Amino acid sequence: MSSYAALTDVGLTRGHNEDEARAIELPGGGILLAVADGVGGAPGGDVASHEGIERMVAELLRLGPEAMGEAIAAANDHVVELQGTRPEWRIMATTLVGAVVVENQARVANLGDSRAYLLLGGELKQLTRDDSWVAQAVASGDLTEEQARLHPWRNVVTKGLGVQDGGAPTFYQATLEPGDALLLCTDGLFKMLSDDDIRRILLGADDAENAAAALVEAANAAGGMDNIGVALYRA
Ligand code: CA
C-alpha cells in the first residue's frame, strides 16, 4: 500500500529550524509533497520557507493538482511582496521542491538546491539538478565536485522564491511502480548521507513515516550539521 510522510528537524548544530516540509492528500486524489529551505545568511529565511510553502499548498488546493506552475508563481509573488514589508526581509528567499503524485505519475518542480530523488527498482537516482552557483561551475568545468563542496559560494542559489529573476521552476517527471519512492529533501539530509545510505534506509523501512524518521535520525547520527527537511512518497 502506498504511504507518504513529511518531517523536519532542527539538526544538532543550528539554533532554529528554517526548513519546511509537507505531505498532503489532495481532494480528488493525488499526494502533494513539498520541502523548502530558507536561504541562510539573510534574516527571514524561516519566514520565506514557511510563507512560500503555505501559499503554494493553498493555491494547489484551490486550483487542483495540475496547477503546480501557477501555485509556485503565486508563492514567489507572495515572498517578493513580503520582502517589501520589512527592511530586514528585503533579500529573504527560499528553495522549493514541490511534487504531485497522481496514480503512478509524479510531476516535480524545483527551484534552488534542495533535491528530489527517486528510488526506482531498488536503485537511487537524483531527479533534480541544483540551481546553484557551484552546480553551474561544475557543469561548465570550472570547478570539480570536491572544489564545489568546499567553495565559499556553495550556498548561493540561482533560483528560489524571492530570488531575483529566479522564480521560474524546472519541471521533471517520473513513473513510480509499487515499491518505488519519491524523496524530496533539503541539503541538511543529502550532505550528511551518501546515496547508498539513503537507498538502504528507504529499502529498509516498511512505510514512508518510518523511512522519513530513519532518514532524519541517520542525518543527525552523521552530525546533524544543518536543518533537515524530508517529504516522502512510497508507491
Ligand atoms: Ca539547508
Side-chain angles (χ1 to χ4, degrees):
M1 217 181 84
S2 67
S3 58
Y4 57 95
L7 189 59
T8 70
D9 191 85
V10 68
L12 300 179
T13 64
R14 296 289 173 95
H16 66 298
N17 194 350
E18 302 196 341
D19 284 5
E20 287 282 350
R22 298 283 187 281
I24 296 164
E25 189 164 357
L26 295 168
I31 303 296
L32 165 65
L33 303 179
V35 300
D37 179 353
V39 173
D46 53 343
V47 177
S49 62
H50 179 78
E51 291 288 331
I53 214 165
E54 287 290 314
R55 180 57 62 95
M56 186 197 74
V57 169
E59 290 296 307
L60 266 172
L61 289 172
R62 193 169 71 84
L63 299 170
E66 302 296 316
M68 181 75 85
E70 292 92 324
I72 289 176
N76 187 54
D77 289 348
H78 181 53
V79 171
V80 169
E81 201 180 298
L82 287 171
Q83 287 174 336
T85 62
R86 289 196 197 183
E88 67 271 27
W89 288 354
R90 195 172 46 83
I91 56 165
M92 73 177 182
T94 184
T95 75
L96 180 70
V97 197
V100 171
V101 185
V102 177
E103 290 169 1
N104 67 347
Q105 293 300 311
R107 190 156 182 256
V108 177
N110 183 54
L111 287 167
D113 63 355
S114 299
R115 289 182 181 170
Y117 289 88
L118 295 166
L119 184 75
L120 293 180
E123 295 302 319
L124 192 81
K125 166 176 176 260
Q126 185 181 331
L127 177 65
T128 52
R129 286 178 302 277
D130 297 347
D131 301 312
S132 67
W133 187 87
V134 290
Q136 282 181 359
V138 169
S140 63
D142 293 332
L143 289 181
T144 65
E145 292 276 358
E146 186 55 30
Q147 287 169 329
R149 238 192 309 280
L150 303 169
H151 198 280
W153 292 4
R154 63 188 175 276
N155 294 324
V156 176
V157 292
T158 51
K159 286 188 173 189
L161 302 180
V163 173
Q164 195 173 14
D165 300 325
T170 308
F171 289 94
Y172 303 85
Q173 202 118 17
T175 302
L176 302 170
E177 303 299 341
D180 291 344
L182 172 64
L183 167 68
L184 311 187
C185 58
T186 62
D187 61 349
L189 186 85
F190 65 75
K191 284 182 179 164
M192 303 310 300
L193 301 178
S194 69
D195 284 8
D196 199 51
D197 293 332
I198 295 172
R199 187 184 71 90
R200 277 187 291 106
I201 292 167
L202 291 176
L203 286 171
D206 51 8
D207 67 9
E209 199 171 334
N210 289 333
L215 286 166
V216 168
E217 195 181 312
N220 277 329
M225 301 294 285
D226 196 357
N227 305 148
I228 305 156
V230 170
L232 179 65
Y233 173 79
R234 241 178 62 146

